[in-house]
Amino acid sequence: MTLRAGQRVVLAADTRLTDSVEVSGVVVGFLSLAAGTGGTVEQVVDHQDESDDVREYERLKSLLDAFGGEMPPESRRQLEEKVGSLEPAWTAFQERAPRLSVRVRFDNGFILDGAQADVFVPA
């Protein structure tokens, strides 16, 4: 599921916002939001970093797909070899799950920034 700015969401599970608070050595509480607390996504940030090899694979693969049929055979062979050598980096990149973080403004006024997107479900 991909979240987008402006989308209504709810927390999928209880979420602790602070560690336990102690006064004179006695735990007096902690702050958390209950599952089902609703809010609106204000921002979505994709943290999936592309390596130079991944960007180069995308560039060369696009070039090969678009113009490979028109290239001289030796140039095409060299390009295919280069794309092939970068394919393991591309495969590893594709297998990693994208990590998205979100900023959500809850209806109760709290703002949760930098939260993992998978703790929310569409409302």
Side-chain angles (χ1 to χ4, degrees):
M1 169 202 50
T2 302
L3 299 178
R4 64 187 186 291
Q7 182 177 8
R8 293 283 302 160
V9 293
V10 295
L11 278 171
D14 291 349
T15 303
R16 182 178 271 194
L17 300 178
T18 66
D19 291 330
S20 298
V21 176
E22 293 185 22
V23 175
S24 301
V26 177
V27 175
V28 293
F30 59 89
L31 180 62
S32 67
L33 291 172
T37 302
T40 304
V41 176
E42 290 188 337
Q43 180 182 26
V44 178
V45 179
D46 183 356
H47 297 280
Q48 189 168 5
D49 295 325
E50 292 183 351
S51 68
D52 290 340
D53 285 347
V54 168
R55 283 190 292 278
E56 184 68 356
Y57 174 87
E58 289 175 318
R59 186 182 74 78
L60 294 178
K61 180 71 169 133
S62 176
L63 182 65
L64 181 62
D65 291 346
F67 301 106
E70 302 168 16
M71 295 176 130
E74 183 60 22
S75 296
R76 179 181 170 94
R77 184 191 64 73
Q78 289 176 358
L79 184 57
E80 287 171 340
E81 286 178 4
K82 183 64 176 171
V83 167
S85 72
L86 295 169
E87 207 157 307
W90 174 253
T91 301
F93 174 76
Q94 292 294 94
E95 290 173 352
R96 285 188 302 230
R99 188 173 96 63
L100 298 176
S101 67
V102 294
R103 175 185 172 101
V104 174
R105 181 177 302 273
F106 291 100
D107 298 338
N108 63 10
F110 283 111
I111 297 173
L112 187 58
D113 196 11
Q116 292 214 15
D118 58 358
V119 301
F120 296 96
V121 294

